[in-house]
Amino acid sequence: FVPNIKMAAALDIQKEYSKLQRELNIIDAALREIRNEKIWNDSERSKGTATLESLKQYDENTTSYKAVGRMFLREPLPALKKELGEYVEERQKDAAACQAKEQMLEKQLFSAKHNLEEFQKAHGFGQAPKFMDKK
Protein backbone atom coordinates (compact mmCIF):
# COMPACT_ATOMS: atom_id res chain seq x y z
CA PHE A 1 0.00 0.00 0.00
CA VAL A 2 1.51 3.31 -1.15
CA PRO A 3 -0.05 6.45 0.35
CA ASN A 4 -1.42 8.89 -2.12
CA ILE A 5 0.87 11.92 -1.82
CA LYS A 6 -1.58 14.28 -3.53
CA MET A 7 -4.31 13.24 -1.10
CA ALA A 8 -2.04 13.85 1.91
CA ALA A 9 -1.05 17.27 0.56
CA ALA A 10 -4.69 18.15 -0.03
CA LEU A 11 -5.54 17.16 3.55
CA ASP A 12 -2.69 19.31 4.89
CA ILE A 13 -3.93 22.25 2.83
CA GLN A 14 -7.47 21.71 4.11
CA LYS A 15 -6.25 21.55 7.74
CA GLU A 16 -4.26 24.77 7.34
CA TYR A 17 -7.22 26.48 5.68
CA SER A 18 -9.51 25.38 8.52
CA LYS A 19 -6.99 26.64 11.06
CA LEU A 20 -6.88 30.07 9.39
CA GLN A 21 -10.69 30.23 9.26
CA ARG A 22 -10.94 29.26 12.95
CA GLU A 23 -8.43 31.96 13.89
CA LEU A 24 -10.44 34.53 11.92
CA ASN A 25 -13.69 33.46 13.60
CA ILE A 26 -12.16 33.59 17.10
CA ILE A 27 -10.81 37.09 16.55
CA ASP A 28 -14.13 38.24 15.07
CA ALA A 29 -16.07 36.87 18.06
CA ALA A 30 -13.67 38.55 20.51
CA LEU A 31 -14.05 41.83 18.63
CA ARG A 32 -17.86 41.65 18.80
CA GLU A 33 -17.67 40.86 22.52
CA ILE A 34 -15.33 43.77 23.29
CA ARG A 35 -17.53 46.15 21.27
CA ASN A 36 -20.58 45.06 23.28
CA GLU A 37 -18.63 45.56 26.51
CA LYS A 38 -17.58 49.03 25.37
CA ILE A 39 -21.20 49.94 24.57
CA TRP A 40 -22.29 48.71 28.00
CA ASN A 41 -19.54 50.71 29.76
CA ASP A 42 -20.47 53.86 27.83
CA SER A 43 -24.13 53.36 28.67
CA GLU A 44 -23.46 52.85 32.38
CA ARG A 45 -21.11 55.84 32.45
CA SER A 46 -23.71 58.12 30.87
CA LYS A 47 -26.44 56.91 33.25
CA GLY A 48 -24.15 57.47 36.23
CA THR A 49 -23.19 60.94 35.02
CA ALA A 50 -26.84 61.88 34.53
CA THR A 51 -27.67 60.62 38.03
CA LEU A 52 -24.79 62.62 39.52
CA GLU A 53 -26.05 65.73 37.76
CA SER A 54 -29.53 65.11 39.16
CA LEU A 55 -28.17 64.69 42.68
CA LYS A 56 -26.47 68.12 42.56
CA GLN A 57 -29.82 69.83 43.00
CA TYR A 58 -30.31 68.34 46.49
CA ASP A 59 -28.93 69.68 49.76
CA GLU A 60 -26.12 67.67 51.38
CA ASN A 61 -28.37 66.96 54.40
CA THR A 62 -31.05 65.30 52.25
CA THR A 63 -31.86 61.75 53.32
CA SER A 64 -30.86 59.33 50.58
CA TYR A 65 -31.25 55.60 50.13
CA LYS A 66 -29.18 53.09 48.28
CA ALA A 67 -30.65 49.96 46.69
CA VAL A 68 -28.95 46.77 47.89
CA GLY A 69 -30.65 43.69 46.51
CA ARG A 70 -34.27 43.94 47.62
CA MET A 71 -33.54 46.42 50.38
CA PHE A 72 -32.89 50.12 50.57
CA LEU A 73 -30.25 51.34 52.99
CA ARG A 74 -30.07 54.88 54.29
CA GLU A 75 -26.83 56.50 53.24
CA PRO A 76 -25.57 60.09 53.52
CA LEU A 77 -25.89 61.93 50.21
CA PRO A 78 -22.17 62.89 50.01
CA ALA A 79 -21.18 59.22 50.41
CA LEU A 80 -23.65 58.21 47.72
CA LYS A 81 -22.29 60.89 45.36
CA LYS A 82 -18.72 59.76 46.03
CA GLU A 83 -19.57 56.12 45.35
CA LEU A 84 -21.41 57.01 42.17
CA GLY A 85 -18.51 59.22 41.03
CA GLU A 86 -16.08 56.32 41.53
CA TYR A 87 -18.39 54.04 39.57
CA VAL A 88 -18.49 56.52 36.67
CA GLU A 89 -14.67 56.76 36.70
CA GLU A 90 -14.37 52.95 36.63
CA ARG A 91 -16.70 52.75 33.63
CA GLN A 92 -14.69 55.45 31.89
CA LYS A 93 -11.42 53.55 32.49
CA ASP A 94 -13.01 50.30 31.36
CA ALA A 95 -14.30 51.96 28.18
CA ALA A 96 -10.80 53.28 27.44
CA ALA A 97 -9.34 49.80 27.99
CA CYS A 98 -11.99 48.36 25.67
CA GLN A 99 -11.04 50.92 23.04
CA ALA A 100 -7.40 49.81 23.21
CA LYS A 101 -8.40 46.12 23.01
CA GLU A 102 -10.72 46.89 20.10
CA GLN A 103 -7.91 48.56 18.14
CA MET A 104 -5.59 45.62 18.81
CA LEU A 105 -8.25 43.11 17.73
CA GLU A 106 -9.02 45.10 14.59
CA LYS A 107 -5.33 44.88 13.62
CA GLN A 108 -5.33 41.14 14.33
CA LEU A 109 -8.51 40.71 12.29
CA PHE A 110 -6.99 42.60 9.36
CA SER A 111 -3.89 40.41 9.56
CA ALA A 112 -5.93 37.20 9.78
CA LYS A 113 -8.04 38.22 6.77
CA HIS A 114 -4.90 39.04 4.83
CA ASN A 115 -3.32 35.69 5.73
CA LEU A 116 -6.46 33.84 4.65
CA GLU A 117 -6.61 35.73 1.35
CA GLU A 118 -2.94 35.04 0.66
CA PHE A 119 -3.44 31.37 1.45
CA GLN A 120 -6.42 31.24 -0.90
CA LYS A 121 -4.43 32.88 -3.70
CA ALA A 122 -1.44 30.61 -3.14
CA HIS A 123 -3.52 27.44 -3.26
CA GLY A 124 -5.98 28.41 -5.99
CA PHE A 125 -9.12 28.71 -3.87
CA GLY A 126 -11.94 30.45 -5.69
CA GLN A 127 -10.49 29.83 -9.14
CA ALA A 128 -12.10 27.78 -11.86
CA PRO A 129 -10.77 24.21 -12.15
CA LYS A 130 -8.18 23.60 -14.86
CA PHE A 131 -10.52 21.48 -17.00
CA MET A 132 -12.93 24.44 -17.30
CA ASP A 133 -10.31 26.73 -18.83
CA LYS A 134 -11.13 27.45 -22.46
CA LYS A 135 -8.23 27.70 -24.84
Side-chain angles (χ1 to χ4, degrees):
F1 176 76
V2 178
N4 186 341
I5 295 174
K6 286 186 178 181
M7 182 68 104
L11 286 174
D12 288 343
I13 290 171
Q14 184 61 37
K15 284 180 184 178
E16 183 65 25
Y17 186 69
S18 295
K19 178 184 165 193
L20 290 171
Q21 283 183 319
R22 245 186 335 271
E23 179 183 338
L24 185 69
N25 290 337
I26 290 169
I27 294 169
D28 188 49
L31 187 57
R32 277 184 275 136
E33 185 178 324
I34 205 72
R35 284 179 177 157
N36 286 337
E37 187 177 333
K38 183 178 147 194
I39 290 168
W40 181 82
N41 279 316
D42 287 339
S43 173
E44 287 295 306
R45 181 187 48 78
S46 64
K47 287 180 202 174
T49 303
T51 303
L52 271 176
E53 288 299 315
S54 295
L55 290 176
K56 285 183 180 179
Q57 69 184 354
Y58 297 107
D59 184 49
E60 295 296 317
N61 296 327
T62 303
T63 303
S64 60
Y65 296 89
K66 175 183 166 185
V68 179
R70 293 183 178 192
M71 300 187 314
F72 291 93
L73 300 177
R74 180 189 269 177
E75 190 166 334
L77 189 59
L80 191 62
K81 286 180 181 178
K82 181 182 176 198
E83 187 177 324
L84 190 55
E86 290 170 356
Y87 181 76
V88 168
E89 286 178 20
E90 285 176 25
R91 296 292 69 81
Q92 200 163 2
K93 289 177 185 175
D94 288 348
C98 286
Q99 179 68 31
K101 287 179 187 176
E102 181 181 24
Q103 289 174 349
M104 179 195 65
L105 286 169
E106 284 174 346
K107 288 178 184 176
Q108 287 180 356
L109 185 65
F110 177 79
S111 176
K113 282 181 179 179
H114 178 72
N115 291 343
L116 188 62
E117 288 171 3
E118 289 299 315
F119 185 84
Q120 288 173 333
K121 287 178 187 175
H123 295 286
F125 284 74
Q127 297 175 356
K130 295 281 186 206
F131 65 88
M132 294 187 74
D133 289 343
K134 293 184 179 180
K135 293 183 180 178

